[in-house]
Amino acid sequence: MLTYFKAFRRTLAVAAVALAAFSLQPGSAQAQSDPTAEPSPGVVGGTRATQGEFPWMVRLSMGCGGALYTQQIVLTAAHCVDGSGPNTSITATAGVVDLQSSQAVKVKSTQVVQAPGYDGSGKDWALIKLAKPVNLPTLKIADNTAYNNGTFTVAGWGAATEGGSQQRYLLKANVPYVDDATCQKAYGSALTPGDEICAGYLAQGGVDTCQGDSGGPMFRKDNAGAWIQVGIVSWGEGCARPGYPGVYSEVSTFAANIRTAAASLGG
Ligand code: ARG
């Protein structure tokens, strides 16, 4: 069972990257929403974010999301990158909800830190250093478990339906927290409860992140009313299926490691 789930997760991740890489080829119909598809703008079950609503949201060229941890460092998922070291192959697109906007800020990567010890199970975080700072707000990360509850917001340019195409416009949705014990009932030992936090409408499904949203933030308001990141889109069985919540990296678990890694990238 464990092996099955782990293999399944890897397959999903690889398929997502392969799919996104294909659809991001120059000249292809990348990030076009299909006007004949059902009118469910996605993340699955989401609605369009407005320009500037989530100003720290980043789209990464391998087909993942991310958030500005600093103006020159993007926090994303470990499964979105190939490893650590110098890397000039990634382009980050920031500052826009419309990926085709002429206002888009596009910056290349210079270095990547993939979570030390990442082996496909838990620890699904990575940092990408950008060639230059972008003049946009950053998203602070939770460094304790106080906000690992309530209703979260997720956003991304990923598929709006399971197996669907990547989106041109940023979509958002709200999903409720699902506790570890409940989430483990769905996923068994595939879940690493200390490293992962689950969210979704357990009974009915219908709202979730999906392929291409990986690496993007799951966030909520803190007690002062500011957005705070509590999760990183990681995996799930399908998208928005009843009984299968979305699984997110638990940011508070890794906050100290993220800070150290960011310092190693020169802040
Ligand atoms: N692994 C996927 C990606 O690479 C994210 C899947 C999220 N799935 C979910 N049901 N919440 O984009």
Side-chain angles (χ1 to χ4, degrees):
M1 212 43 153
L2 176 65
T3 318
Y4 163 77
F5 273 115
K6 284 189 175 169
F8 186 67
R9 290 170 57 171
R10 288 210 186 86
T11 306
L12 281 184
V14 169
V17 169
L19 196 89
F22 173 76
S23 65
L24 286 166
Q25 292 305 309
S28 79
Q30 70 108 339
Q32 287 287 3
S33 34
D34 175 1
T36 64
E38 3 182 297
S40 138
V43 155
V44 176
T47 57
R48 272 206 203 166
T50 59
Q51 178 60 37
E53 190 175 5
F54 309 122
W56 22 258
M57 276 296 309
V58 170
R59 174 69 171 181
L60 297 170
S61 52
M62 83 294 277
C64 279
L68 291 171
Y69 174 71
T70 70
Q71 291 188 326
Q72 205 171 347
I73 296 178
V74 175
L75 176 58
T76 186
H79 81 261
C80 290
V81 300
D82 287 333
S84 300
N87 186 324
T88 55
S89 73
I90 303 165
T91 301
T93 301
V96 288
V97 292
D98 175 3
L99 293 179
Q100 293 179 9
S101 168
S102 58
Q103 316 283 22
V105 176
K106 295 192 187 223
V107 188
K108 291 268 183 199
S109 61
T110 57
Q111 276 187 85
V112 171
V113 175
Q114 189 180 46
Y118 173 70
D119 67 356
S121 220
K123 296 189 182 64
D124 197 6
W125 66 269
L127 295 179
I128 297 172
K129 174 108 188 220
L130 303 176
K132 56 176 198 244
V134 294
N135 189 19
L136 287 164
T138 60
L139 178 59
K140 70 176 163 175
I141 64 170
D143 62 4
N144 64 72
T145 59
Y147 296 113
N148 290 350
N149 54 65
T151 297
F152 306 123
T153 301
V154 289
W157 289 271
T161 55
E162 195 178 314
S165 57
Q166 300 292 296
Q167 300 294 301
R168 169 174 174 175
Y169 296 98
L170 180 64
L171 297 167
K172 61 169 179 176
N174 291 332
V175 279
Y177 171 72
V178 172
D179 66 78
D180 284 344
T182 305
C183 199
Q184 265 182 309
K185 279 182 195 139
Y187 291 118
S189 56
L191 190 77
T192 309
D195 283 11
E196 294 172 327
I197 176 171
C198 302
Y201 292 93
L202 190 70
Q204 64 267 44
V207 184
D208 197 4
T209 46
C210 199
Q211 269 53 47
D213 292 323
S214 275
M218 178 170 81
F219 47 96
R220 53 161 284 171
K221 291 280 177 77
D222 69 10
N223 292 336
W227 291 119
I228 187 164
Q229 182 172 1
V230 298
I232 300 168
V233 180
S234 184
W235 62 282
E237 178 153 324
C239 304
R241 295 188 191 178
Y244 293 99
V247 183
Y248 299 81
S249 303
E250 191 167 318
V251 164
S252 60
T253 298
F254 305 113
N257 306 284
I258 291 168
R259 204 153 290 151
T260 303
S264 81
L265 292 173

